[in-house]
Amino acid sequence: YAPPTAPMPPADRNRLVPTIQFEMFQNDKLKLKALTEAHGYNERDLHNIYQRITWDASADAKAVGADIAGNKMKPELQERVSRACSIAVGATLATEESPRGKLLDVGCGHGAIVSSLVEAGLTEPDMYVGIDLSPEMVRNAVERYGEERNGRTGKGRVFVADDFFAHDFSVYAEGNGGSEEG
């Protein structure tokens, strides 16, 4: 955490930032403000737009890189991920008090932890719902992990390209026929 800092004094700014760059920044700032007002965007919308653009641009490279590496992480990271996946999978198992649950992978990307979840015991593909802002990341996840189906229900893993805060997850409730499967 960095405490808030005071704005740069004009004398320092003039000394460190060329005038033309500062003017370009001010013009870009005004253009961005006009666009956000014209389209009704808020700060979260802008964050999601920039994040989506960034992840879309790197989606294929990240998925291919994971495949080349055998979808394995560094051992110390894989150990932590495996431990977390075991806890998450354990929470989805049915008990006398509650039916089995679904596992929600927020920011699922190209499905990086799907194999770890399967290794941890997530045996039924339809127990998994992955969501990511990037349609390109989701496309890669579907290509890599979207084929397997539950023999009993015929349903598979669900991968969704959407904003976690805005998505209607009720369509994945047991007994609800709705689905956005990949």
Side-chain angles (χ1 to χ4, degrees):
Y1 169 75
T5 58
M8 184 182 291
D12 287 344
R13 185 189 67 237
N14 292 338
R15 184 174 51 82
L16 297 170
V17 179
T19 304
I20 188 74
Q21 282 185 324
F22 184 71
E23 290 170 357
M24 288 170 60
F25 163 74
Q26 292 291 46
N27 287 335
D28 289 344
K29 191 174 167 183
L30 290 172
K31 287 178 192 174
L32 182 60
K33 183 177 180 185
L35 283 170
T36 58
E37 290 173 357
H39 296 283
Y41 292 148
N42 60 35
E43 207 170 300
R44 188 176 103 206
D45 295 331
L46 287 177
H47 172 268
N48 287 351
I49 290 166
Y50 287 125
Q51 188 172 28
R52 178 179 168 182
I53 290 167
T54 301
W55 285 112
D56 279 356
S58 64
D60 290 336
K62 289 188 177 299
V64 168
D67 288 341
I68 289 170
N71 204 34
K72 290 294 179 191
M73 302 170 204
K74 292 179 180 177
E76 59 276 6
L77 178 58
Q78 182 64 56
E79 183 180 322
R80 290 193 339 242
V81 168
S82 295
R83 202 168 39 245
C85 287
S86 292
I87 293 167
V89 169
T92 68
L93 301 176
T95 64
E96 288 182 22
E97 298 84 40
S98 66
R100 73 183 182 112
K102 293 200 183 262
L103 195 134
L104 176 62
D105 184 0
V106 177
C108 68
H110 57 80
I113 67 167
V114 170
S115 60
S116 295
L117 289 166
V118 171
E119 288 173 13
L122 192 68
T123 57
E124 298 179 26
D126 59 341
M127 291 174 62
Y128 176 92
V129 176
I131 187 166
D132 199 286
L133 280 172
S134 168
E136 289 301 307
M137 284 290 194
V138 168
R139 180 185 57 75
N140 275 285
V142 169
E143 286 176 6
R144 297 171 83 216
Y145 299 107
E147 294 296 318
E148 190 177 355
R149 297 288 183 250
N150 181 320
R152 183 177 47 82
T153 67
K155 294 181 180 179
R157 292 183 188 93
V158 175
F159 294 95
V160 182
D162 201 359
D163 178 359
F164 165 76
F165 291 109
H167 191 71
D168 177 10
F169 290 97
S170 68
V171 298
Y172 311 111
E174 288 297 320
N176 189 337
S179 176
E180 296 183 35
E181 293 178 357

